[in-house]
Amino acid sequence: MMTETTEHTRKRLHMRSMRRGIKEMDLILPAFAAEHLADMDEAELALYDALLSENDHDLYGWVGGQFAVPDVYADMISRIAAGAHGVTRPAAAH
């Protein structure tokens, strides 16, 4: 059995980040993937892969702070949420 190369994993996860079930996640996840996948190690890639298998409404609730985030995803969700301002909540007026 062939194992997937890290580069192929990154490409697959970037594709899985797009065309999600809800529009907000279509905006949030590809931006996160483009910015962070290249820097992720294999353990982080595996965690992101698992995260992408979660329900989009749960993901959106976690990123937007409406639902408690499972401990295993807490750090990654906080990183995703940091780039999601204006999508999960109104952008701050300046």
Side-chain angles (χ1 to χ4, degrees):
M1 180 173 147
M2 268 182 66
T3 32
E4 187 175 50
T5 65
T6 302
E7 188 56 35
H8 187 267
T9 299
R10 286 187 176 108
K11 287 178 182 175
R12 179 176 57 79
L13 293 176
H14 195 275
M15 291 304 296
R16 286 190 64 205
S17 298
M18 299 160 53
R19 294 184 295 281
R20 301 296 300 181
I22 59 175
K23 181 179 176 162
E24 292 82 2
M25 296 316 293
D26 287 345
L27 298 171
I28 294 167
L29 291 177
F32 175 80
E35 187 171 341
H36 296 285
L37 282 179
D39 299 326
M40 289 185 188
D41 62 25
E42 290 187 24
E44 288 174 306
L45 291 170
L47 183 64
Y48 188 62
D49 199 359
L51 181 75
L52 292 177
S53 297
E54 297 288 346
N55 179 285
D56 270 342
H57 290 283
D58 290 339
L59 285 173
Y60 187 64
W62 296 338
V63 170
Q66 290 90 6
F67 307 142
V69 180
D71 289 344
V72 67
Y73 297 133
D75 181 57
M76 188 165 286
I77 291 292
S78 70
R79 289 169 57 201
I80 293 170
H85 288 280
V87 178
T88 57
R89 60 192 67 81
H94 296 285

